[in-house]
Amino acid sequence: GIQVEQSPPDLILQEGANSTLRCNFSDSVNNLQWFHQNPWGQLINLFYIPSGTKQNGRLSATTVATERYSLLYISSSQTTDSGVYFCAVVSQGGSEKLVFGKGTKLTVNP
Amino acid sequence: NAGVTQTPKFQVLKTGQSMTLQCAQDMNHNSMYWYRQDPGMGLRLIYYSASEGTTDKGEVPNGYNVSRLNKREFSLRLESAAPSQTSVYFCACRLQGRGGRSGNTIYFGEGSWLTVV
C-alpha cells in the first residue's frame, strides 16, 4: 500500500519564526489533506490539496503531485500553532483507504 | 449539524471484556473510517467502509471487528480486549469522489479514550 513519510518528526521554534513541513508519498494520490492536532487531541482540517498551492492566512501548502510530495508552510509562528501536523492521502488506485503519516510535532516557544 | 459523533468518550475495560465503539455521521458521506492513535505512531487505520454494507481491513485490523449497517453508522467492536488495545480511537468520514473541496474533506469525531487494564 501507499507509504506516507513526514519530516521532520520534531520541530522547535521561537515565536515569529517560519517553518516548512514536508510530506512524501509513494504513489499517485487523488486526495491529500493536512491536519493540525491541537493539545486537546482535536483534529482540525487545514487544507485539501491533491495538487497546486493554497493559502489561508499565515499557512500555505503546495503539492507537487508529479514528484509525490507536499509542503506546509507556517509563517510568523505563534504559540497556538503548537501541536502535531499530519498529512493524509488516498491513493489513485481506486481504494478508499486513507493513510496518515506519523506527523510532525511542532513546539512554538514564546 | 453534529458532524461526526463518537460514543463513549472514555471507557475503562478489563482484559477479556468486550465493547463496541459507536460512530454516527449526519453529513450523508459514503466513506467511514476507524483509526487508533498511540504516542509517536500517528493515526493507524483499523478498518474502513467505502459504502453501506462494505468493509475493508486497514493497517492494524487484528483484534477488531466492524459493522456498517447503514450509511450513517459505523461501529467498532473489541471482542476480547487486551492491554495492547489501550489507545485513542477516532472515527472519520468522507464524501468520496473528485467533487468540490467540501466533498473531499475528511471529518473527524472527537475521539474515544479506551484503557484496558
Side-chain angles (χ1 to χ4, degrees):
Chain A
I2 193 167
Q3 304 296 315
V4 182
E5 294 185 359
Q6 291 186 242
S7 60
D10 294 279
L11 187 59
I12 300 174
L13 302 174
Q14 287 298 123
E15 200 167 24
N18 302 329
S19 61
T20 301
L21 283 58
R22 187 177 180 103
C23 172
N24 291 333
F25 42 95
S26 62
D27 201 357
S28 299
V29 300
N30 64 24
N31 190 318
L32 186 148
Q33 300 195 22
W34 283 96
F35 292 87
H36 175 222
Q37 187 171 39
N38 63 26
W40 297 270
Q42 187 182 12
L43 284 154
I44 301 164
N45 183 276
L46 298 175
F47 293 103
Y48 162 68
I49 187 165
S51 63
T53 298
K54 291 186 179 179
Q55 181 160 4
N56 184 3
R58 296 181 297 103
L59 273 61
S60 63
T62 295
T63 297
V64 183
T66 53
E67 297 187 21
R68 300 182 181 171
Y69 72 89
S70 183
L71 302 174
L72 177 68
Y73 304 97
I74 304 173
S75 64
S76 304
S77 58
Q78 301 176 357
T79 56
T80 52
D81 294 331
S82 295
V84 184
Y85 290 80
F86 291 105
C87 167
V89 303
V90 177
S91 73
Q92 280 188 352
S95 164
E96 275 298 299
K97 188 180 289 190
L98 174 63
V99 178
F100 279 71
K102 292 187 176 182
T104 292
K105 183 178 180 181
L106 175 65
T107 304
V108 181
N109 293 319
Chain B
N1 185 351
V4 181
T5 304
Q6 291 181 230
T7 56
K9 194 168 182 67
F10 299 97
Q11 183 73 49
V12 179
L13 287 177
K14 293 183 179 179
T15 297
Q17 286 186 317
S18 62
M19 78 159 296
T20 299
L21 296 174
Q22 304 285 357
C23 177
Q25 52 102 356
D26 61 5
M27 293 176 285
N28 203 35
H29 284 187
N30 298 317
S31 296
M32 296 187 73
Y33 307 85
W34 275 107
Y35 292 89
R36 59 177 290 173
Q37 185 175 26
D38 303 297
M41 297 296 291
L43 277 80
R44 292 184 292 171
L45 182 62
I46 305 171
Y47 271 94
Y48 65 103
S49 169
S51 61
E52 178 182 345
T54 69
T55 60
D56 286 285
K57 293 180 180 179
E59 302 163 279
V60 289
N62 292 344
Y64 304 95
N65 286 304
V66 290
S67 178
R68 181 89 183 270
L69 294 179
N70 56 57
K71 195 170 188 178
R72 287 189 66 248
E73 298 170 300
F74 189 37
S75 61
L76 178 71
R77 184 162 178 84
L78 287 69
E79 292 290 352
S80 179
S84 61
Q85 293 178 305
T86 294
S87 190
V88 182
Y89 292 85
F90 286 96
C91 177
C93 67
R94 187 173 85 92
L95 181 61
Q96 274 186 32
R98 300 180 64 84
R101 179 187 184 277
S102 63
N104 279 294
T105 298
I106 303 153
Y107 295 88
F108 279 88
E110 294 187 341
S112 296
W113 274 255
L114 176 65
T115 301
V116 183
V117 297

